[in-house]
Amino acid sequence: NRFASACKLTEMGYAVVLVYLGFLNANEMANQGALFKTSGQWDSLVKIHSRPLFPDEIWNNKWKIYDHAFVPLIRSVEWEFEQEVRS
């Protein structure tokens, strides 16, 4: 998974920033399930799903793996989707 790959890259000597990015109010995705309305909803979901693997404190902090930086972040953004209209 992304997290394990990021840790491996850090072990190999690369500084890594891993971002779990959620899109808020993505109405174009409404047919796929409930939308994230707030950044708190996205943050909570990522933590719930990752909790069996590691504690919540791992998120949004800088960690050192073999003296190299590893920063796992949870972020969200509301980005208005403009669909191109073709004639």
Side-chain angles (χ1 to χ4, degrees), residues 26-53:
N27 293 319
E28 66 278 4
M29 298 294 293
N31 64 343
Q32 301 297 311
L35 301 178
F36 299 107
K37 299 292 185 185
T38 68
S39 58
Q41 288 176 319
W42 174 244
D43 187 270
S44 179
L45 181 75
V46 172
K47 288 178 179 175
I48 287 168
H49 282 273
S50 64
R51 201 168 284 142
L53 302 172

Side-chain angles (χ1 to χ4, degrees), residues 4-41:
S5 297
C7 287
K8 183 62 178 174
L9 285 170
T10 307
E11 287 177 3
M12 294 171 62
Y14 297 95
V16 176
V17 177
L18 176 64
V19 180
Y20 278 67
L21 180 61
F23 290 91
L24 305 179
N25 299 308
N27 293 319
E28 66 278 4
M29 298 294 293
N31 64 343
Q32 301 297 311
L35 301 178
F36 299 107
K37 299 292 185 185
T38 68
S39 58
Q41 288 176 319

